[in-house]
Amino acid sequence: MVISKENQEFLEGLIDYYVKEAKSYKEIAQEFSSEINSVVDTAFGIIIGCIYSSFLQAYSNQKLIPDTEDIKEFNAMIIKNTDIIKKSIIKN
């Protein structure tokens, strides 16, 4: 485990938040439905981008720079939660 316990808990909280708010991000994606191939995939990308941005900001606030192992662990956390995130987008 490379990411600190506190940062892992922060990321888990972010994932939970965005799962609960998936409908909003789906609505944003639907605004661009004529320009995109998949509303669900676009909403998923927006959510992952928001989580990643918050992850980077958390590191910056701690005066840290995520290294390759941090990014790999972040990606693993997202992959582990992909089904939950996508299902929350689909059901709304």
Side-chain angles (χ1 to χ4, degrees):
M1 180 171 66
V2 177
I3 298 176
S4 71
K5 181 180 178 190
E6 293 79 17
N7 284 339
Q8 281 190 350
E9 289 171 356
F10 174 71
L11 285 172
E12 290 167 1
L14 283 173
I15 292 167
D16 289 342
Y17 170 79
Y18 284 103
V19 164
K20 291 175 186 164
E21 296 297 322
K23 181 179 179 182
S24 299
Y25 295 92
K26 184 177 182 180
E27 289 171 357
I28 292 168
Q30 285 172 327
E31 291 294 319
F32 299 94
S33 61
S34 65
E35 305 296 323
I36 59 176
N37 294 325
S38 169
V39 168
V40 172
D41 288 343
T42 300
F44 179 78
I46 293 168
I47 289 170
I48 299 310
C50 290
I51 295 169
Y52 185 66
S53 177
S54 295
F55 167 73
L56 293 178
Q57 187 62 51
Y59 268 63
S60 177
N61 291 345
Q62 298 168 40
K63 299 188 181 355
L64 300 171
I65 299 172
D67 62 19
T68 303
E69 292 303 314
D70 296 315
I71 301 300
K72 285 181 183 178
E73 193 169 337
F74 169 85
N75 289 338
M77 288 181 75
I78 296 301
I79 290 167
K80 176 183 160 195
N81 288 283
T82 293
D83 285 343
I84 295 167
I85 297 168
K86 282 202 167 187
K87 285 177 184 175
S88 71
I89 295 166
I90 293 167
K91 78 173 187 173
N92 288 303

